[in-house]
Amino acid sequence: ELPDEKKARYIKDFQLSEYDADLLIRSQHVADIFEKATAVCQKPKEVANFINGDCMRLLNAAGGEEKDIDFTPENLGKLINLVAAGTINKTTAKMIFEKIYAEDIDPERYVKENGLEMMSDDSELEKMVDEVIANNPKSVADYQKGKKAAIGFLVGQIMKATKGQANAGKVNQMIQEKLNQ
């Protein structure tokens, strides 16, 4: 397949932008990684974002060439599946990708071994929300006076307490529900 044909296929079949497709087809090795990782997770845009963003940033920082990329595409696909399933958040995924890039670790095993799963226990989150609301009356008052940005501080307190393992969207929703009652 010629580069122009591959580019057209990436745009048509994977709904990638011309920019993303251009970056991916520069190297047959990178294109192979993209296609194999996409086959695992069925999320071509997310795969392209990791390859064109994080992967190239790490490669450039190391002064390497695209042929030097040696992680298993399946591990990138698994990582994207972990984010899609809500097991980890994007921040954790970026940190794990650095490990995949450097050591080609299995992201599923790494997440389990290091306890990086997002909190999914709503009752535990609800206790934390109640505690944060009780301990921050000024932010609560600001929110109720119309300063909607005050909720960010409250969400931040829970994210800090959970070391980023709470689902920020869920926490935000829980806090809003409590404050709007």
PDB file of all heavy atoms in Angstrom, residues 110-147:
ATOM      1  N   TYR A 110       0.038  -4.177  35.611  1.00  0.00           N
ATOM      2  CA  TYR A 110       0.633  -3.047  36.321  1.00  0.00           C
ATOM      3  C   TYR A 110      -0.412  -2.307  37.156  1.00  0.00           C
ATOM      4  O   TYR A 110      -0.159  -1.948  38.303  1.00  0.00           O
ATOM      5  CB  TYR A 110       1.300  -2.096  35.324  1.00  0.00           C
ATOM      6  CG  TYR A 110       2.082  -0.994  35.977  1.00  0.00           C
ATOM      7  CD1 TYR A 110       3.370  -1.213  36.448  1.00  0.00           C
ATOM      8  CD2 TYR A 110       1.539   0.281  36.128  1.00  0.00           C
ATOM      9  CE1 TYR A 110       4.093  -0.211  37.060  1.00  0.00           C
ATOM     10  CE2 TYR A 110       2.250   1.298  36.736  1.00  0.00           C
ATOM     11  CZ  TYR A 110       3.531   1.042  37.198  1.00  0.00           C
ATOM     12  OH  TYR A 110       4.239   2.047  37.809  1.00  0.00           O
ATOM     13  N   VAL A 111      -1.586  -2.093  36.582  1.00  0.00           N
ATOM     14  CA  VAL A 111      -2.663  -1.408  37.297  1.00  0.00           C
ATOM     15  C   VAL A 111      -3.056  -2.205  38.544  1.00  0.00           C
ATOM     16  O   VAL A 111      -3.200  -1.648  39.627  1.00  0.00           O
ATOM     17  CB  VAL A 111      -3.878  -1.169  36.365  1.00  0.00           C
ATOM     18  CG1 VAL A 111      -5.124  -0.794  37.154  1.00  0.00           C
ATOM     19  CG2 VAL A 111      -3.555  -0.081  35.352  1.00  0.00           C
ATOM     20  N   LYS A 112      -3.218  -3.520  38.384  1.00  0.00           N
ATOM     21  CA  LYS A 112      -3.597  -4.364  39.525  1.00  0.00           C
ATOM     22  C   LYS A 112      -2.516  -4.395  40.589  1.00  0.00           C
ATOM     23  O   LYS A 112      -2.784  -4.219  41.776  1.00  0.00           O
ATOM     24  CB  LYS A 112      -3.885  -5.793  39.049  1.00  0.00           C
ATOM     25  CG  LYS A 112      -5.245  -5.962  38.413  1.00  0.00           C
ATOM     26  CD  LYS A 112      -5.542  -7.437  38.155  1.00  0.00           C
ATOM     27  CE  LYS A 112      -6.895  -7.632  37.555  1.00  0.00           C
ATOM     28  NZ  LYS A 112      -7.000  -7.262  36.155  1.00  0.00           N
ATOM     29  N   GLU A 113      -1.275  -4.620  40.172  1.00  0.00           N
ATOM     30  CA  GLU A 113      -0.159  -4.731  41.118  1.00  0.00           C
ATOM     31  C   GLU A 113       0.088  -3.440  41.888  1.00  0.00           C
ATOM     32  O   GLU A 113       0.570  -3.463  43.014  1.00  0.00           O
ATOM     33  CB  GLU A 113       1.123  -5.137  40.380  1.00  0.00           C
ATOM     34  CG  GLU A 113       1.113  -6.569  39.902  1.00  0.00           C
ATOM     35  CD  GLU A 113       2.315  -6.917  39.024  1.00  0.00           C
ATOM     36  OE1 GLU A 113       3.137  -6.025  38.712  1.00  0.00           O
ATOM     37  OE2 GLU A 113       2.427  -8.100  38.635  1.00  0.00           O
ATOM     38  N   ASN A 114      -0.232  -2.302  41.286  1.00  0.00           N
ATOM     39  CA  ASN A 114       0.051  -1.012  41.916  1.00  0.00           C
ATOM     40  C   ASN A 114      -1.192  -0.315  42.451  1.00  0.00           C
ATOM     41  O   ASN A 114      -1.115   0.843  42.875  1.00  0.00           O
ATOM     42  CB  ASN A 114       0.799  -0.114  40.935  1.00  0.00           C
ATOM     43  CG  ASN A 114       2.188  -0.638  40.658  1.00  0.00           C
ATOM     44  OD1 ASN A 114       3.093  -0.457  41.451  1.00  0.00           O
ATOM     45  ND2 ASN A 114       2.355  -1.329  39.537  1.00  0.00           N
ATOM     46  N   GLY A 115      -2.328  -1.012  42.450  1.00  0.00           N
ATOM     47  CA  GLY A 115      -3.562  -0.443  42.999  1.00  0.00           C
ATOM     48  C   GLY A 115      -3.963   0.872  42.355  1.00  0.00           C
ATOM     49  O   GLY A 115      -4.339   1.813  43.055  1.00  0.00           O
ATOM     50  N   LEU A 116      -3.909   0.948  41.040  1.00  0.00           N
ATOM     51  CA  LEU A 116      -4.184   2.207  40.350  1.00  0.00           C
ATOM     52  C   LEU A 116      -5.609   2.332  39.828  1.00  0.00           C
ATOM     53  O   LEU A 116      -5.942   3.314  39.170  1.00  0.00           O
ATOM     54  CB  LEU A 116      -3.202   2.373  39.182  1.00  0.00           C
ATOM     55  CG  LEU A 116      -1.726   2.471  39.564  1.00  0.00           C
ATOM     56  CD1 LEU A 116      -0.850   2.495  38.324  1.00  0.00           C
ATOM     57  CD2 LEU A 116      -1.473   3.686  40.436  1.00  0.00           C
ATOM     58  N   GLU A 117      -6.454   1.341  40.121  1.00  0.00           N
ATOM     59  CA  GLU A 117      -7.830   1.406  39.652  1.00  0.00           C
ATOM     60  C   GLU A 117      -8.535   2.608  40.263  1.00  0.00           C
ATOM     61  O   GLU A 117      -8.274   2.984  41.400  1.00  0.00           O
ATOM     62  CB  GLU A 117      -8.622   0.149  40.048  1.00  0.00           C
ATOM     63  CG  GLU A 117      -8.087  -1.136  39.479  1.00  0.00           C
ATOM     64  CD  GLU A 117      -7.182  -1.890  40.432  1.00  0.00           C
ATOM     65  OE1 GLU A 117      -6.681  -1.284  41.413  1.00  0.00           O
ATOM     66  OE2 GLU A 117      -6.947  -3.075  40.198  1.00  0.00           O
ATOM     67  N   MET A 118      -9.436   3.199  39.476  1.00  0.00           N
ATOM     68  CA  MET A 118     -10.233   4.300  40.010  1.00  0.00           C
ATOM     69  C   MET A 118     -11.201   3.745  41.047  1.00  0.00           C
ATOM     70  O   MET A 118     -11.637   2.598  40.944  1.00  0.00           O
ATOM     71  CB  MET A 118     -11.017   5.000  38.895  1.00  0.00           C
ATOM     72  CG  MET A 118     -10.160   5.921  38.087  1.00  0.00           C
ATOM     73  SD  MET A 118     -11.060   7.194  37.184  1.00  0.00           S
ATOM     74  CE  MET A 118     -12.138   6.277  36.139  1.00  0.00           C
ATOM     75  N   MET A 119     -11.511   4.577  42.008  1.00  0.00           N
ATOM     76  CA  MET A 119     -12.484   4.177  43.026  1.00  0.00           C
ATOM     77  C   MET A 119     -13.842   4.001  42.367  1.00  0.00           C
ATOM     78  O   MET A 119     -14.287   4.864  41.634  1.00  0.00           O
ATOM     79  CB  MET A 119     -12.591   5.252  44.113  1.00  0.00           C
ATOM     80  CG  MET A 119     -11.381   5.359  44.997  1.00  0.00           C
ATOM     81  SD  MET A 119     -11.606   6.644  46.239  1.00  0.00           S
ATOM     82  CE  MET A 119     -12.953   5.992  47.185  1.00  0.00           C
ATOM     83  N   SER A 120     -14.467   2.884  42.659  1.00  0.00           N
ATOM     84  CA  SER A 120     -15.786   2.651  42.070  1.00  0.00           C
ATOM     85  C   SER A 120     -16.846   2.463  43.146  1.00  0.00           C
ATOM     86  O   SER A 120     -18.007   2.247  42.849  1.00  0.00           O
ATOM     87  CB  SER A 120     -15.742   1.432  41.143  1.00  0.00           C
ATOM     88  OG  SER A 120     -15.292   0.302  41.855  1.00  0.00           O
ATOM     89  N   ASP A 121     -16.431   2.570  44.404  1.00  0.00           N
ATOM     90  CA  ASP A 121     -17.360   2.397  45.519  1.00  0.00           C
ATOM     91  C   ASP A 121     -18.068   3.727  45.797  1.00  0.00           C
ATOM     92  O   ASP A 121     -17.502   4.630  46.406  1.00  0.00           O
ATOM     93  CB  ASP A 121     -16.585   1.915  46.752  1.00  0.00           C
ATOM     94  CG  ASP A 121     -17.471   1.632  47.955  1.00  0.00           C
ATOM     95  OD1 ASP A 121     -18.680   1.948  47.890  1.00  0.00           O
ATOM     96  OD2 ASP A 121     -16.963   1.102  48.946  1.00  0.00           O
ATOM     97  N   ASP A 122     -19.315   3.824  45.327  1.00  0.00           N
ATOM     98  CA  ASP A 122     -20.060   5.075  45.486  1.00  0.00           C
ATOM     99  C   ASP A 122     -20.284   5.442  46.944  1.00  0.00           C
ATOM    100  O   ASP A 122     -20.276   6.628  47.288  1.00  0.00           O
ATOM    101  CB  ASP A 122     -21.404   4.995  44.763  1.00  0.00           C
ATOM    102  CG  ASP A 122     -21.261   5.145  43.255  1.00  0.00           C
ATOM    103  OD1 ASP A 122     -20.128   5.353  42.777  1.00  0.00           O
ATOM    104  OD2 ASP A 122     -22.291   5.067  42.566  1.00  0.00           O
ATOM    105  N   SER A 123     -20.467   4.457  47.811  1.00  0.00           N
ATOM    106  CA  SER A 123     -20.715   4.775  49.225  1.00  0.00           C
ATOM    107  C   SER A 123     -19.477   5.411  49.857  1.00  0.00           C
ATOM    108  O   SER A 123     -19.592   6.343  50.654  1.00  0.00           O
ATOM    109  CB  SER A 123     -21.146   3.526  50.006  1.00  0.00           C
ATOM    110  OG  SER A 123     -20.123   2.553  50.010  1.00  0.00           O
ATOM    111  N   GLU A 124     -18.307   4.950  49.474  1.00  0.00           N
ATOM    112  CA  GLU A 124     -17.059   5.534  49.980  1.00  0.00           C
ATOM    113  C   GLU A 124     -16.901   6.961  49.457  1.00  0.00           C
ATOM    114  O   GLU A 124     -16.544   7.876  50.198  1.00  0.00           O
ATOM    115  CB  GLU A 124     -15.873   4.666  49.565  1.00  0.00           C
ATOM    116  CG  GLU A 124     -14.546   5.132  50.119  1.00  0.00           C
ATOM    117  CD  GLU A 124     -14.417   4.994  51.630  1.00  0.00           C
ATOM    118  OE1 GLU A 124     -15.063   4.109  52.216  1.00  0.00           O
ATOM    119  OE2 GLU A 124     -13.662   5.797  52.215  1.00  0.00           O
ATOM    120  N   LEU A 125     -17.192   7.159  48.172  1.00  0.00           N
ATOM    121  CA  LEU A 125     -17.113   8.499  47.603  1.00  0.00           C
ATOM    122  C   LEU A 125     -18.124   9.435  48.265  1.00  0.00           C
ATOM    123  O   LEU A 125     -17.816  10.600  48.528  1.00  0.00           O
ATOM    124  CB  LEU A 125     -17.372   8.461  46.091  1.00  0.00           C
ATOM    125  CG  LEU A 125     -16.219   8.052  45.199  1.00  0.00           C
ATOM    126  CD1 LEU A 125     -16.670   8.007  43.740  1.00  0.00           C
ATOM    127  CD2 LEU A 125     -15.043   8.993  45.343  1.00  0.00           C
ATOM    128  N   GLU A 126     -19.312   8.924  48.535  1.00  0.00           N
ATOM    129  CA  GLU A 126     -20.345   9.752  49.150  1.00  0.00           C
ATOM    130  C   GLU A 126     -19.910  10.232  50.535  1.00  0.00           C
ATOM    131  O   GLU A 126     -20.119  11.395  50.893  1.00  0.00           O
ATOM    132  CB  GLU A 126     -21.662   8.976  49.231  1.00  0.00           C
ATOM    133  CG  GLU A 126     -22.821   9.901  49.552  1.00  0.00           C
ATOM    134  CD  GLU A 126     -24.169   9.269  49.256  1.00  0.00           C
ATOM    135  OE1 GLU A 126     -24.228   8.253  48.546  1.00  0.00           O
ATOM    136  OE2 GLU A 126     -25.157   9.828  49.752  1.00  0.00           O
ATOM    137  N   LYS A 127     -19.265   9.362  51.304  1.00  0.00           N
ATOM    138  CA  LYS A 127     -18.743   9.761  52.624  1.00  0.00           C
ATOM    139  C   LYS A 127     -17.718  10.883  52.463  1.00  0.00           C
ATOM    140  O   LYS A 127     -17.712  11.848  53.226  1.00  0.00           O
ATOM    141  CB  LYS A 127     -18.081   8.569  53.325  1.00  0.00           C
ATOM    142  CG  LYS A 127     -19.019   7.542  53.874  1.00  0.00           C
ATOM    143  CD  LYS A 127     -18.227   6.436  54.562  1.00  0.00           C
ATOM    144  CE  LYS A 127     -19.024   5.158  54.581  1.00  0.00           C
ATOM    145  NZ  LYS A 127     -18.225   3.987  54.931  1.00  0.00           N
ATOM    146  N   MET A 128     -16.854  10.733  51.471  1.00  0.00           N
ATOM    147  CA  MET A 128     -15.825  11.750  51.248  1.00  0.00           C
ATOM    148  C   MET A 128     -16.454  13.078  50.814  1.00  0.00           C
ATOM    149  O   MET A 128     -16.016  14.143  51.249  1.00  0.00           O
ATOM    150  CB  MET A 128     -14.823  11.270  50.193  1.00  0.00           C
ATOM    151  CG  MET A 128     -14.030  10.061  50.638  1.00  0.00           C
ATOM    152  SD  MET A 128     -12.947   9.488  49.344  1.00  0.00           S
ATOM    153  CE  MET A 128     -11.463  10.347  49.816  1.00  0.00           C
ATOM    154  N   VAL A 129     -17.474  13.016  49.964  1.00  0.00           N
ATOM    155  CA  VAL A 129     -18.170  14.226  49.516  1.00  0.00           C
ATOM    156  C   VAL A 129     -18.786  14.933  50.720  1.00  0.00           C
ATOM    157  O   VAL A 129     -18.629  16.150  50.881  1.00  0.00           O
ATOM    158  CB  VAL A 129     -19.242  13.887  48.444  1.00  0.00           C
ATOM    159  CG1 VAL A 129     -20.194  15.058  48.226  1.00  0.00           C
ATOM    160  CG2 VAL A 129     -18.571  13.492  47.131  1.00  0.00           C
ATOM    161  N   ASP A 130     -19.467  14.173  51.575  1.00  0.00           N
ATOM    162  CA  ASP A 130     -20.073  14.764  52.771  1.00  0.00           C
ATOM    163  C   ASP A 130     -19.020  15.435  53.650  1.00  0.00           C
ATOM    164  O   ASP A 130     -19.224  16.542  54.159  1.00  0.00           O
ATOM    165  CB  ASP A 130     -20.827  13.690  53.585  1.00  0.00           C
ATOM    166  CG  ASP A 130     -22.087  13.206  52.876  1.00  0.00           C
ATOM    167  OD1 ASP A 130     -22.607  13.925  51.997  1.00  0.00           O
ATOM    168  OD2 ASP A 130     -22.549  12.092  53.213  1.00  0.00           O
ATOM    169  N   GLU A 131     -17.877  14.775  53.802  1.00  0.00           N
ATOM    170  CA  GLU A 131     -16.797  15.294  54.639  1.00  0.00           C
ATOM    171  C   GLU A 131     -16.214  16.580  54.044  1.00  0.00           C
ATOM    172  O   GLU A 131     -16.009  17.571  54.754  1.00  0.00           O
ATOM    173  CB  GLU A 131     -15.708  14.221  54.752  1.00  0.00           C
ATOM    174  CG  GLU A 131     -14.679  14.498  55.817  1.00  0.00           C
ATOM    175  CD  GLU A 131     -13.718  13.318  55.956  1.00  0.00           C
ATOM    176  OE1 GLU A 131     -14.188  12.195  56.222  1.00  0.00           O
ATOM    177  OE2 GLU A 131     -12.510  13.550  55.773  1.00  0.00           O
ATOM    178  N   VAL A 132     -15.979  16.591  52.744  1.00  0.00           N
ATOM    179  CA  VAL A 132     -15.415  17.772  52.096  1.00  0.00           C
ATOM    180  C   VAL A 132     -16.393  18.947  52.178  1.00  0.00           C
ATOM    181  O   VAL A 132     -15.989  20.080  52.437  1.00  0.00           O
ATOM    182  CB  VAL A 132     -15.015  17.456  50.632  1.00  0.00           C
ATOM    183  CG1 VAL A 132     -14.808  18.712  49.822  1.00  0.00           C
ATOM    184  CG2 VAL A 132     -13.761  16.608  50.604  1.00  0.00           C
ATOM    185  N   ILE A 133     -17.673  18.678  51.988  1.00  0.00           N
ATOM    186  CA  ILE A 133     -18.681  19.741  52.090  1.00  0.00           C
ATOM    187  C   ILE A 133     -18.709  20.299  53.510  1.00  0.00           C
ATOM    188  O   ILE A 133     -18.734  21.518  53.712  1.00  0.00           O
ATOM    189  CB  ILE A 133     -20.071  19.221  51.651  1.00  0.00           C
ATOM    190  CG1 ILE A 133     -20.079  19.018  50.129  1.00  0.00           C
ATOM    191  CG2 ILE A 133     -21.176  20.179  52.076  1.00  0.00           C
ATOM    192  CD1 ILE A 133     -21.321  18.328  49.594  1.00  0.00           C
ATOM    193  N   ALA A 134     -18.669  19.407  54.497  1.00  0.00           N
ATOM    194  CA  ALA A 134     -18.706  19.846  55.900  1.00  0.00           C
ATOM    195  C   ALA A 134     -17.459  20.642  56.285  1.00  0.00           C
ATOM    196  O   ALA A 134     -17.545  21.591  57.073  1.00  0.00           O
ATOM    197  CB  ALA A 134     -18.854  18.631  56.819  1.00  0.00           C
ATOM    198  N   ASN A 135     -16.309  20.283  55.725  1.00  0.00           N
ATOM    199  CA  ASN A 135     -15.046  20.919  56.105  1.00  0.00           C
ATOM    200  C   ASN A 135     -14.711  22.180  55.317  1.00  0.00           C
ATOM    201  O   ASN A 135     -13.701  22.819  55.588  1.00  0.00           O
ATOM    202  CB  ASN A 135     -13.891  19.919  55.968  1.00  0.00           C
ATOM    203  CG  ASN A 135     -13.973  18.797  56.974  1.00  0.00           C
ATOM    204  OD1 ASN A 135     -14.607  18.923  58.017  1.00  0.00           O
ATOM    205  ND2 ASN A 135     -13.335  17.681  56.660  1.00  0.00           N
ATOM    206  N   ASN A 136     -15.547  22.536  54.340  1.00  0.00           N
ATOM    207  CA  ASN A 136     -15.247  23.696  53.497  1.00  0.00           C
ATOM    208  C   ASN A 136     -16.466  24.603  53.326  1.00  0.00           C
ATOM    209  O   ASN A 136     -16.943  24.817  52.198  1.00  0.00           O
ATOM    210  CB  ASN A 136     -14.726  23.215  52.133  1.00  0.00           C
ATOM    211  CG  ASN A 136     -13.411  22.489  52.247  1.00  0.00           C
ATOM    212  OD1 ASN A 136     -12.369  23.108  52.415  1.00  0.00           O
ATOM    213  ND2 ASN A 136     -13.459  21.164  52.176  1.00  0.00           N
ATOM    214  N   PRO A 137     -16.954  25.161  54.432  1.00  0.00           N
ATOM    215  CA  PRO A 137     -18.168  25.973  54.355  1.00  0.00           C
ATOM    216  C   PRO A 137     -18.021  27.213  53.455  1.00  0.00           C
ATOM    217  O   PRO A 137     -18.988  27.624  52.817  1.00  0.00           O
ATOM    218  CB  PRO A 137     -18.436  26.374  55.804  1.00  0.00           C
ATOM    219  CG  PRO A 137     -17.130  26.192  56.511  1.00  0.00           C
ATOM    220  CD  PRO A 137     -16.425  25.085  55.790  1.00  0.00           C
ATOM    221  N   LYS A 138     -16.819  27.790  53.365  1.00  0.00           N
ATOM    222  CA  LYS A 138     -16.638  28.970  52.528  1.00  0.00           C
ATOM    223  C   LYS A 138     -16.854  28.622  51.054  1.00  0.00           C
ATOM    224  O   LYS A 138     -17.554  29.343  50.332  1.00  0.00           O
ATOM    225  CB  LYS A 138     -15.249  29.592  52.726  1.00  0.00           C
ATOM    226  CG  LYS A 138     -15.074  30.868  51.904  1.00  0.00           C
ATOM    227  CD  LYS A 138     -13.696  31.464  52.049  1.00  0.00           C
ATOM    228  CE  LYS A 138     -13.481  32.722  51.252  1.00  0.00           C
ATOM    229  NZ  LYS A 138     -14.178  32.860  50.006  1.00  0.00           N
ATOM    230  N   SER A 139     -16.281  27.520  50.592  1.00  0.00           N
ATOM    231  CA  SER A 139     -16.465  27.102  49.195  1.00  0.00           C
ATOM    232  C   SER A 139     -17.924  26.761  48.918  1.00  0.00           C
ATOM    233  O   SER A 139     -18.446  27.068  47.842  1.00  0.00           O
ATOM    234  CB  SER A 139     -15.581  25.898  48.867  1.00  0.00           C
ATOM    235  OG  SER A 139     -14.221  26.275  48.908  1.00  0.00           O
ATOM    236  N   VAL A 140     -18.575  26.122  49.880  1.00  0.00           N
ATOM    237  CA  VAL A 140     -19.991  25.785  49.726  1.00  0.00           C
ATOM    238  C   VAL A 140     -20.812  27.072  49.594  1.00  0.00           C
ATOM    239  O   VAL A 140     -21.663  27.193  48.705  1.00  0.00           O
ATOM    240  CB  VAL A 140     -20.492  24.926  50.916  1.00  0.00           C
ATOM    241  CG1 VAL A 140     -22.006  24.768  50.872  1.00  0.00           C
ATOM    242  CG2 VAL A 140     -19.809  23.555  50.892  1.00  0.00           C
ATOM    243  N   ALA A 141     -20.517  28.046  50.469  1.00  0.00           N
ATOM    244  CA  ALA A 141     -21.241  29.322  50.425  1.00  0.00           C
ATOM    245  C   ALA A 141     -20.988  30.039  49.093  1.00  0.00           C
ATOM    246  O   ALA A 141     -21.912  30.599  48.499  1.00  0.00           O
ATOM    247  CB  ALA A 141     -20.830  30.205  51.597  1.00  0.00           C
ATOM    248  N   ASP A 142     -19.739  30.027  48.643  1.00  0.00           N
ATOM    249  CA  ASP A 142     -19.409  30.650  47.352  1.00  0.00           C
ATOM    250  C   ASP A 142     -20.210  30.011  46.223  1.00  0.00           C
ATOM    251  O   ASP A 142     -20.763  30.699  45.362  1.00  0.00           O
ATOM    252  CB  ASP A 142     -17.907  30.518  47.053  1.00  0.00           C
ATOM    253  CG  ASP A 142     -17.043  31.438  47.904  1.00  0.00           C
ATOM    254  OD1 ASP A 142     -17.604  32.346  48.570  1.00  0.00           O
ATOM    255  OD2 ASP A 142     -15.808  31.248  47.916  1.00  0.00           O
ATOM    256  N   TYR A 143     -20.283  28.683  46.225  1.00  0.00           N
ATOM    257  CA  TYR A 143     -21.030  27.963  45.184  1.00  0.00           C
ATOM    258  C   TYR A 143     -22.497  28.371  45.231  1.00  0.00           C
ATOM    259  O   TYR A 143     -23.107  28.638  44.206  1.00  0.00           O
ATOM    260  CB  TYR A 143     -20.880  26.445  45.372  1.00  0.00           C
ATOM    261  CG  TYR A 143     -21.701  25.645  44.388  1.00  0.00           C
ATOM    262  CD1 TYR A 143     -21.244  25.411  43.096  1.00  0.00           C
ATOM    263  CD2 TYR A 143     -22.949  25.134  44.734  1.00  0.00           C
ATOM    264  CE1 TYR A 143     -21.995  24.698  42.176  1.00  0.00           C
ATOM    265  CE2 TYR A 143     -23.712  24.413  43.820  1.00  0.00           C
ATOM    266  CZ  TYR A 143     -23.230  24.195  42.547  1.00  0.00           C
ATOM    267  OH  TYR A 143     -23.984  23.487  41.660  1.00  0.00           O
ATOM    268  N   GLN A 144     -23.054  28.435  46.430  1.00  0.00           N
ATOM    269  CA  GLN A 144     -24.478  28.760  46.575  1.00  0.00           C
ATOM    270  C   GLN A 144     -24.772  30.226  46.252  1.00  0.00           C
ATOM    271  O   GLN A 144     -25.916  30.566  45.966  1.00  0.00           O
ATOM    272  CB  GLN A 144     -24.964  28.361  47.971  1.00  0.00           C
ATOM    273  CG  GLN A 144     -24.986  26.833  48.104  1.00  0.00           C
ATOM    274  CD  GLN A 144     -25.223  26.320  49.503  1.00  0.00           C
ATOM    275  OE1 GLN A 144     -24.931  26.982  50.489  1.00  0.00           O
ATOM    276  NE2 GLN A 144     -25.753  25.112  49.583  1.00  0.00           N
ATOM    277  N   LYS A 145     -23.750  31.075  46.255  1.00  0.00           N
ATOM    278  CA  LYS A 145     -23.914  32.474  45.859  1.00  0.00           C
ATOM    279  C   LYS A 145     -23.745  32.647  44.350  1.00  0.00           C
ATOM    280  O   LYS A 145     -23.749  33.763  43.850  1.00  0.00           O
ATOM    281  CB  LYS A 145     -22.882  33.357  46.575  1.00  0.00           C
ATOM    282  CG  LYS A 145     -23.141  33.544  48.046  1.00  0.00           C
ATOM    283  CD  LYS A 145     -22.053  34.398  48.664  1.00  0.00           C
ATOM    284  CE  LYS A 145     -22.182  34.417  50.171  1.00  0.00           C
ATOM    285  NZ  LYS A 145     -20.982  34.980  50.814  1.00  0.00           N
ATOM    286  N   GLY A 146     -23.549  31.527  43.662  1.00  0.00           N
ATOM    287  CA  GLY A 146     -23.455  31.595  42.206  1.00  0.00           C
ATOM    288  C   GLY A 146     -22.061  31.422  41.641  1.00  0.00           C
ATOM    289  O   GLY A 146     -21.876  31.431  40.429  1.00  0.00           O
ATOM    290  N   LYS A 147     -21.060  31.288  42.493  1.00  0.00           N
ATOM    291  CA  LYS A 147     -19.694  31.085  41.999  1.00  0.00           C
ATOM    292  C   LYS A 147     -19.507  29.590  41.724  1.00  0.00           C
ATOM    293  O   LYS A 147     -19.034  28.829  42.558  1.00  0.00           O
ATOM    294  CB  LYS A 147     -18.671  31.564  43.032  1.00  0.00           C
ATOM    295  CG  LYS A 147     -18.678  33.057  43.240  1.00  0.00           C
ATOM    296  CD  LYS A 147     -17.596  33.466  44.223  1.00  0.00           C
ATOM    297  CE  LYS A 147     -17.653  34.955  44.487  1.00  0.00           C
ATOM    298  NZ  LYS A 147     -16.689  35.350  45.531  1.00  0.00           N
TER     299      LYS A 147
END
